[in-house]
Amino acid sequence: MDEPTVVVGVVTGAHGLRGDVSVQNRSDNPDRWAAGGNVLREDGAALTIEASRRHGRRLLVKFAGIADRNAAEGLRGTVLVVPESWLPDLAEGEWWAHQLEGCEVRTVSGRVLGIVNEVIPNPANDLWVAVDDEGRETLVPALEDLLIDVDVEARTIVVRDVPGLTAPEEAPEETED
């Protein structure tokens, strides 16, 4: 495939006897798994979604042409992707996780926190994991009050200096007794 792709799920195994598979969902798009939609295997082969449903914490998906458990087992471990052009447009101030990965995070004062290597979805707000050259991780909450500038094209993110979060804690002053 000529265009970059985004991982939207991974088949973790077969479910039942009729060809359903259990999918670890990695998509934020609520319409991604709608009947009639398509996803691709990493080799570019298309899979058409016949049906999908939640089952506890899992997503069960029925793909066209996968008629029995043996065929479903053959998909175990399959990484499911879509081309970036298939992603819906986002509102101003929103970004896809894959756009943030690889961006350098620094504070307003110029302190480099590292490169975003993971975005952890969280109910309150996502956490961006920035790792510096020494391997130290900084969890940056994706909060409007913390973010100064996010420029995915320039691959840079600027955040406020927050003691204990993005700035080193100041040592308490020593007092004489």
Side-chain angles (χ1 to χ4, degrees):
M1 173 164 295
D2 293 339
E3 117 178 63
T5 58
V6 177
V7 175
V8 294
V10 177
V11 177
T12 59
H15 180 83
L17 302 174
R18 297 188 177 133
D20 290 357
V21 294
S22 179
V23 173
Q24 178 190 46
N25 181 22
R26 295 190 184 169
S27 175
D28 291 334
N29 180 356
D31 299 324
R32 172 65 53 221
W33 304 104
N38 289 300
V39 293
L40 306 175
R41 297 187 328 204
E42 281 187 308
D43 64 6
L47 293 168
T48 300
I49 300 161
E50 285 187 357
S52 68
R53 66 188 185 281
R54 289 249 166 245
H55 183 71
R57 293 177 55 178
R58 298 182 294 170
L59 181 66
L60 300 180
V61 179
K62 173 73 171 125
F63 291 114
I66 307 299
D68 60 29
R69 186 173 184 87
N70 288 337
E73 279 294 340
L75 292 176
R76 181 186 296 270
T78 299
V79 176
L80 305 170
V81 299
V82 297
E84 282 187 11
S85 63
W86 291 11
L87 298 176
D89 292 331
L90 295 175
E92 182 71 27
E94 293 183 359
W95 309 274
W96 294 108
H98 72 277
Q99 293 175 308
L100 299 168
E101 292 172 358
C103 289
E104 179 185 72
V105 180
R106 66 180 184 284
T107 65
V108 175
S109 65
R111 180 171 171 254
V112 175
L113 300 178
I115 304 296
V116 176
N117 73 353
E118 181 181 7
V119 174
I120 301 171
N122 205 11
N125 54 270
D126 289 351
L127 295 172
W128 302 348
V129 181
V131 180
D132 68 13
D133 290 338
E134 280 118 39
R136 285 186 302 251
E137 287 186 350
T138 302
L139 297 179
V140 179
L143 298 171
E144 187 176 344
D145 292 346
L146 181 66
L147 303 175
I148 300 297
D149 183 52
V150 177
D151 187 340
V152 294
E153 289 183 21
R155 313 299 296 149
T156 60
I157 298 169
V158 179
V159 299
R160 292 190 192 288
D161 288 287
V162 177
L165 179 65
T166 63
E169 294 275 354
E170 291 189 24
E173 293 183 29
E174 293 193 26
T175 58
E176 292 182 31
D177 291 323

